[in-house]
Amino acid sequence: MATTKKTGSKKTKGGAKAKKGAAKSTAKNASAKDTKAERPAKPKRTSALDAAATVLKSAGKPMRAQELIATMAEKGLWSSPNGKTPHATLYAAMQREERDKGEASRFHKIDRGLFEYHTPKSA
């Protein structure tokens, strides 16, 4: 004996509640957007690459990633958000920018682990 499941077009209480809840959440989202528009915009946080470019440009000499991290922290330009090896991350990012952008890169590797500021050329 096989049993079959009846399918009908009856509306359940849960479906009606979900529709009412959807209307409420839309109104809630609209009011949340209004309050966000009233708040002043947060200043954008400087990236490690931007801070490194600033330090290298002002130093006028080649530096290593660990020196850059220390100098950026001293000047208050950038500090690691609890990372264990921010120098390794910065080193990799500088290499990646030089590889990907070529002549438009802000960094130029002159020796193993040593980078200097390179004036970017327009593409």
Side-chain angles (χ1 to χ4, degrees):
M1 205 180 216
T3 59
T4 58
K5 187 175 183 180
K6 288 185 180 182
T7 57
S9 60
K10 292 182 182 180
K11 291 185 178 178
T12 62
K13 287 184 181 181
K17 286 183 182 178
K19 288 180 183 177
K20 286 181 185 175
K24 287 180 184 177
S25 67
T26 306
K28 186 185 271 188
N29 289 342
S31 65
K33 287 180 184 176
D34 293 339
T35 57
K36 285 183 182 179
E38 294 170 6
R39 291 186 216 153
K42 290 183 182 178
K44 190 173 180 181
R45 185 174 174 184
T46 305
S47 72
L49 279 176
D50 292 340
T54 303
V55 169
L56 279 173
K57 189 175 185 178
S58 65
K61 65 174 186 164
M63 295 176 80
R64 298 186 183 281
Q66 284 190 323
E67 293 174 284
L68 285 167
I69 294 291
T71 308
M72 291 183 316
E74 286 172 12
K75 291 186 176 186
L77 295 173
W78 184 86
S79 62
S80 174
N82 298 325
K84 292 185 179 179
T85 56
H87 61 278
T89 305
L90 178 62
Y91 180 84
M94 288 190 298
Q95 279 188 316
R96 202 169 36 249
E97 182 175 315
E98 184 181 23
R99 180 195 68 206
D100 294 345
K101 292 186 177 181
E103 287 297 314
S105 172
R106 297 172 287 180
F107 307 102
H108 179 68
K109 187 174 180 181
I110 59 170
D111 197 12
R112 186 175 180 173
L114 204 57
F115 286 90
E116 68 179 358
Y117 184 77
H118 180 256
T119 307
K121 294 182 180 172
S122 302

